[in-house]
Amino acid sequence: MRSFSEIDTTAKRASKAAGFSWGMAEEIGKSIRSLELFGLPGILNLNNYLKKIKQKHPKKIEKIEKENKTIDSESDKELCPIYSGVAFLDRCLELEKLKSIKFYNVSHPLLMLPFISRASEIMSKKILVQYDNTSFLLNFDKSIFSKNIDKQAQSLANVVSIEFI
């Protein structure tokens, strides 16, 4: 059994080694710690995602719109859950006006959850996140209620829907 501090530190170091900046690595460490704290497979998802991007580091998302898709180039078919999650967190107060947001072709979508959960606390709103047959109710970064979650890593979600409640 690893402590949450060990999880945080290991996730930071692995993320930095994978090409993320130190600031992003700090955010990733906190997010993986949060997932594990809520009993979700954060380490498994991060490990699989970092292996996936080993050869080609993902691009940052420029701006979050009501509907977010990848550039139609062969090399960037999937959205990065980390860059998308951080962008969502950074702009959460302005995104609230949209009422609902969709992300298409998100790699390892579970990795977005802790960023959206922290946004829930900042906005003082519950947020419903759904992809495939899985749904999460994020409650002010205090709890994550899930329905139909597979405890394994899901490598791709065709559509991630986010709704402000």
Side-chain angles (χ1 to χ4, degrees):
M1 180 67 143
R2 293 185 204 148
S3 73
F4 291 120
S5 292
E6 288 174 314
I7 290 169
D8 188 336
T9 301
T10 303
K12 282 182 211 174
R13 289 179 180 169
S15 301
K16 180 62 179 150
F20 287 98
S21 69
W22 272 118
M24 289 298 291
E26 288 282 334
E27 294 294 334
I28 294 166
K30 287 185 229 174
S31 70
I32 299 306
R33 178 184 183 146
S34 178
L35 285 173
E36 292 292 330
L37 185 66
F38 289 125
L40 298 170
I43 296 170
L44 176 66
N45 276 272
L46 180 63
N47 187 32
N48 289 345
Y49 183 65
L50 294 180
K51 285 178 186 174
K52 184 176 189 173
I53 65 167
K54 188 175 186 177
Q55 299 303 317
K56 178 151 175 41
H57 193 76
K59 290 186 180 178
K60 292 181 182 179
I61 189 166
E62 296 298 321
K63 186 177 178 188
I64 295 181
E65 307 285 342
K66 191 159 182 70
E67 296 204 353
N68 302 278
K69 298 179 181 178
T70 58
I71 302 168
D72 289 330
S73 72
E74 188 66 29
S75 61
D76 294 310
K77 291 183 177 180
E78 300 172 5
L79 283 174
C80 173
I82 296 165
Y83 286 134
S84 298
V86 169
F88 185 93
L89 178 60
D90 287 346
R91 295 178 182 89
C92 64
L93 294 174
E94 32 182 283
L95 295 175
E96 183 180 2
K97 300 173 205 161
L98 299 177
K99 305 287 186 220
S100 68
I101 299 171
K102 292 186 189 252
F103 290 87
Y104 296 92
N105 295 323
V106 179
S107 185
H108 291 80
L110 191 72
L111 295 175
M112 281 182 75
L113 277 188
F115 301 106
I116 300 169
S117 182
R118 286 176 30 214
S120 170
E121 180 181 31
I122 291 168
M123 298 181 326
S124 297
K125 292 211 179 245
K126 293 181 181 179
I127 301 176
L128 179 65
V129 178
Q130 296 177 308
Y131 58 86
D132 299 334
N133 294 324
T134 306
S135 62
F136 300 91
L137 181 60
L138 310 176
N139 191 19
F140 313 117
D141 204 25
K142 303 290 183 226
S143 60
I144 296 176
F145 299 104
S146 60
K147 184 177 178 186
N148 299 331
I149 180 159
D150 184 2
K151 290 289 185 179
Q152 298 301 311
Q154 182 173 346
S155 62
L156 182 67
N158 293 325
V159 180
V160 175
S161 298
I162 300 170
E163 202 175 315
F164 301 101
I165 299 175

